[in-house]
Amino acid sequence: MDAYQGVVKDIDLALWRGSYTIDSLKIDKIDAKVKEPFIEVNKIDLSVQWRSLFKGEIVGEIDCYQPKINFAFGESSEQTQTGEEEDWTKVVKSLIPIKINRFAISEGEIALTNILTEPKTDLPLKDFQLEITNIQNVEEQVTDSLPSSIVASGTASDYGGTLYFNASAYLLKEIPDFDYNLGFEDVNLISLNPLAKYYTGMDFEKGTISIYSEMAMKDQTFEGYLKPLVKEMRIFNWKEDNRPLGQWIKEFFSEGIQEIFENQKKQQFATRVPIQGQLDNVNTNIWLTVFNSFKNAYIKAFEYKLDKSIDFKDLQAKTEKKK
């Protein structure tokens, strides 16, 4: 690697099952001013996937135990580590000489560090679990356009949020087709105040936010939505001390606008942002987004769940019809 360097503590071979184990892998960015290493993994097990041998395929699987990835964003390259300087697929392929059909992470942690904010703001996602199966389409079914499965979950314990993600995909394409569902629930807004104050000059007094999303893509054409729901949000507080006049005005009017769009019975502000188009031309409907805010407030409150309105087969039919 050009921008990163790594070290391992030990390597154990198990020839009888066609595998080897890497103990205590650590990868640091060269000449970086970031204290935390970019990647730390307690143990990586790389082996032949024996169940695929019965299907006439020689493929492998990788299990990563207690990995930690530390992303940092700063003003200079020395203060930033995102991994974009390397082609990590080549790094992984160099570790195992056969194609990978399954990849899993257990008890992982992903840390996002913004070293520009004062105080410094971290967004850690803990207890991260991930499993990607049938990457090489070993268990291919004739009628299945999305043969690979992706399941992930995690908790943002510092913010009270819980993440879940599941998807079906065709990963052998250069730009994969996919159909995903995502939910990020019950994030405490007060815990986001350092970011809110840094970017907007305001802070939250109470409330939680949940985000739901569905998306499908076929041949680089996609459609989906983003649905944020904010419950019992309060921005303005008459009794807040040492608040600058500019912040007082922002929070006062923001609270008023929020009250207009809030469903008073459910005490929630919500909307649904439709997203569609192609990778080089993303479209969102602003007027429909505003209408959905009114719909939540005055017609029917949005529910804290996926809408189940995006179907890959429908998108596939549309794209094939255009051809």
Side-chain angles (χ1 to χ4, degrees):
M1 296 182 290
D2 296 325
Y4 293 81
Q5 59 188 4
V7 62
V8 300
K9 183 178 180 180
D10 189 28
I11 295 176
D12 297 316
L13 299 177
L15 298 179
W16 61 273
R17 68 183 185 94
S19 72
Y20 73 99
T21 300
I22 299 174
D23 290 329
S24 301
L25 168 70
K26 184 170 76 168
I27 297 177
D28 294 281
K29 186 177 180 182
I30 300 172
D31 298 327
K33 295 181 180 179
V34 182
K35 293 182 179 179
E36 297 292 333
F38 180 52
I39 296 175
E40 279 185 295
V41 190
N42 183 41
K43 184 175 75 171
I44 305 175
D45 189 81
L46 306 97
S47 65
V48 172
Q49 191 177 44
W50 288 98
R51 57 180 290 183
S52 297
L53 287 177
F54 296 102
K55 301 178 183 295
E57 298 286 345
I58 302 177
V59 293
E61 56 184 341
I62 298 178
D63 286 278
C64 298
Y65 299 94
Q66 297 177 323
K68 184 176 181 180
I69 304 176
N70 298 288
F71 293 99
F73 306 90
E75 292 180 328
S76 65
S77 60
E78 290 81 9
Q79 296 173 311
T80 302
Q81 60 179 24
T82 61
E84 63 181 358
E85 301 91 346
E86 300 287 347
D87 184 351
W88 294 95
T89 59
K90 291 183 179 179
V91 176
V92 173
K93 288 178 180 178
S94 70
L95 295 175
I96 185 166
I98 55 179
K99 293 181 178 179
I100 301 166
N101 194 51
R102 177 182 168 273
F103 179 82
I105 290 175
S106 299
E107 299 179 30
E109 181 176 341
I110 301 174
L112 305 178
T113 302
N114 185 346
I115 63 176
L116 297 180
T117 60
E118 287 294 339
K120 186 178 73 172
T121 302
D122 296 339
L123 298 174
L125 183 65
K126 300 179 180 179
D127 194 24
F128 182 68
Q129 313 289 332
L130 170 70
E131 185 176 39
I132 309 174
T133 58
N134 202 25
I135 297 172
Q136 299 299 329
N137 204 7
V138 172
E139 302 175 9
E140 181 179 8
Q141 299 178 9
V142 177
T143 58
D144 195 351
S145 302
L146 303 173
S148 302
S149 173
I150 306 170
V151 179
S153 63
T155 59
S157 55
D158 294 356
Y159 300 88
T162 302
L163 169 74
Y164 65 85
F165 176 90
N166 62 76
S168 299
Y170 182 44
L171 299 173
L172 297 183
K173 294 180 67 173
E174 183 178 357
I175 300 179
D177 298 335
F178 62 80
D179 186 356
Y180 81 68
N181 300 321
L182 179 146
F184 198 11
E185 300 177 320
D186 300 326
V187 177
N188 189 328
L189 288 175
I190 293 178
S191 65
L192 298 177
N193 276 343
L195 282 176
K197 204 159 188 177
Y198 180 78
Y199 288 108
T200 68
M202 300 185 295
D203 54 17
F204 299 103
E205 299 297 325
K206 63 179 294 190
T208 61
I209 182 171
S210 298
I211 299 174
Y212 300 90
S213 177
E214 294 179 78
M215 187 78 70
M217 185 169 78
K218 170 66 176 178
D219 296 335
Q220 302 184 47
T221 298
F222 62 88
E223 63 181 22
Y225 68 86
L226 187 69
K227 185 173 73 170
L229 297 97
V230 182
K231 186 175 183 179
E232 299 180 349
M233 179 176 72
R234 289 294 174 268
I235 303 173
F236 184 77
N237 183 353
W238 288 100
K239 298 180 180 181
E240 184 174 347
D241 298 327
N242 302 319
R243 177 171 45 187
L245 178 61
Q247 183 181 344
W248 190 97
I249 295 172
K250 282 183 181 180
E251 292 182 355
F252 179 81
F253 283 100
S254 296
E255 182 76 19
I257 294 172
Q258 189 264 145
E259 286 291 332
I260 294 173
F261 286 96
E262 184 179 66
N263 184 296
Q264 299 299 321
K265 184 177 180 181
K266 298 285 187 178
Q267 290 190 308
Q268 73 177 34
F269 167 80
T271 189
R272 189 179 189 273
V273 184
I275 306 171
Q276 61 182 2
Q278 295 184 318
L279 290 181
D280 58 353
N281 185 24
V282 181
N283 300 311
T284 58
N285 191 321
I286 301 300
W287 291 112
L288 185 55
T289 301
V290 174
F291 172 76
N292 284 333
S293 297
F294 276 104
K295 183 179 178 181
N296 168 77
Y298 301 107
I299 301 175
K300 184 180 179 181
F302 290 159
E303 297 185 73
Y304 283 75
K305 63 180 183 180
L306 296 167
D307 295 341
K308 302 293 185 182
S309 60
I310 302 299
D311 190 287
F312 178 80
K313 292 182 178 179
D314 292 341
L315 178 62
Q316 187 177 32
K318 292 177 185 177
T319 55
E320 290 176 354
K321 187 176 181 180
K322 290 181 180 179
K323 293 179 181 178

